[in-house]
Amino acid sequence: MNKTIENKLLHFFTSGNIYEDFAEARVKKTAKFRRVIRACFYIHCAAAAISIALAAAMHAGAGIIAVSVCEVLLTALAFLAVGDMILLKNLLYCGDIIFAAAMFVTGALSDIKTPFFTVGAISVVTALCALASFFAANFKIFLEDFSPLCLRREHYTLLPNFNSEQSENIPDMPDEPKIVLPPAKTEMQELADRLKEILCKPKTETKTETEYSENRIQEQPQPQTEVLQ
């Protein structure tokens, strides 16, 4: 899920009781999503009844049976999709789209176009409702599974009369490090810096190679020679 959508879903207002206010806001939001899911189911039921009645009233012929069977199956699928099974919700809006396309194609090929086009248009509306139910279910599941221990400062807004001491337990998200680049130097500045390094470089006494070799010879132990008498 998009990070921006997650922050909007989690955002709530608090006066200092972070976890209690989050729990209360979550209950209200999940209740709204449940109402959306139920409303989409009722729309499916009403759309099925209207589609069957239109097909029968406009004398769609054998199309009445096809429309009735398809609408009953889609209504049963909508009833099963009221729960939190995302797979059924995917099947529901896909089924609505396929049924709407079939009605438009049938209306284009049939002599009686109006009932099939009307049923197809109703199916497009039910497909949009099924898609809304799909997103509402995903949002509801996300909120219900979210742990209050994962709350961050960006997830809530403190009201003016809040107690700041009660919000100290909520960790803030670390800020991204800001890299400040030094201003670019001109060629004259670089030349001046190099000249400064050469002139200000401390002088150190170094031994020449000859002195170093002489010192090495002096440090070596002298061989002892026997005096012949």
Side-chain angles (χ1 to χ4, degrees):
M1 189 181 297
N2 193 336
K3 190 69 176 178
T4 303
I5 297 176
E6 291 181 0
N7 291 337
K8 288 183 178 180
L9 289 173
L10 294 172
H11 184 266
F12 63 98
F13 294 92
T14 178
S15 58
N17 299 322
I18 307 296
Y19 299 115
E20 295 179 2
D21 293 337
F22 170 72
E24 183 180 357
R26 179 168 60 180
V27 169
K28 292 180 180 179
K29 291 178 181 179
T30 53
K32 290 180 181 179
F33 290 135
R34 288 193 186 95
R35 287 196 292 269
V36 171
I37 295 171
R38 287 197 296 268
C40 291
F41 168 69
Y42 296 146
I43 292 174
H44 264 89
C45 294
I50 293 173
S51 297
I52 295 172
L54 283 175
M58 296 183 179
H59 306 287
I64 298 175
I65 299 175
V67 170
S68 300
V69 172
C70 292
E71 289 293 351
V72 169
L73 292 176
L74 290 174
T75 303
L77 184 60
F79 175 75
L80 297 175
V82 172
D84 292 336
M85 294 187 65
I86 302 300
L87 177 60
L88 293 178
K89 296 183 184 298
N90 283 324
L91 293 175
L92 179 59
Y93 72 76
C94 289
D96 287 331
I97 293 173
I98 293 173
F99 181 66
M103 290 295 100
F104 286 129
V105 171
T106 304
L109 299 176
S110 177
D111 295 334
I112 306 175
K113 301 181 183 299
T114 303
F116 294 108
F117 284 158
T118 305
V119 173
I122 295 174
S123 297
V124 171
V125 175
T126 55
L128 294 176
C129 292
L131 195 61
S133 177
F134 169 77
F135 285 112
N138 277 281
F139 296 157
K140 183 175 74 69
I141 293 173
F142 170 75
L143 286 174
E144 290 175 346
D145 294 341
F146 188 84
S147 174
L149 298 177
C150 298
L151 287 172
R152 296 293 182 268
R153 181 63 182 83
E154 60 184 3
H155 294 152
Y156 62 90
T157 298
L158 291 169
L159 297 175
N161 55 343
F162 71 95
N163 186 358
S164 59
E165 295 180 356
Q166 297 181 1
S167 64
E168 292 179 354
N169 296 326
I170 307 298
D172 293 335
M173 295 295 289
D175 297 331
E176 296 183 357
K178 297 180 180 180
I179 301 175
V180 180
L181 297 177
K185 294 183 178 180
T186 62
E187 295 181 357
M188 294 299 295
Q189 290 176 339
E190 292 179 357
L191 183 60
D193 292 340
R194 292 178 184 176
L195 184 60
K196 182 179 179 181
E197 291 178 0
I198 295 173
L199 295 176
C200 299
K201 185 176 181 181
K203 297 181 180 180
T204 58
E205 296 181 357
T206 58
K207 295 182 179 180
T208 62
E209 186 176 352
T210 306
E211 294 176 349
Y212 179 77
S213 60
E214 291 177 355
N215 291 335
R216 290 289 296 175
I217 294 172
Q218 293 176 1
E219 291 175 359
Q220 291 181 356
Q222 298 295 330
Q224 297 179 359
T225 58
E226 294 181 358
V227 179
L228 297 177
Q229 294 178 355

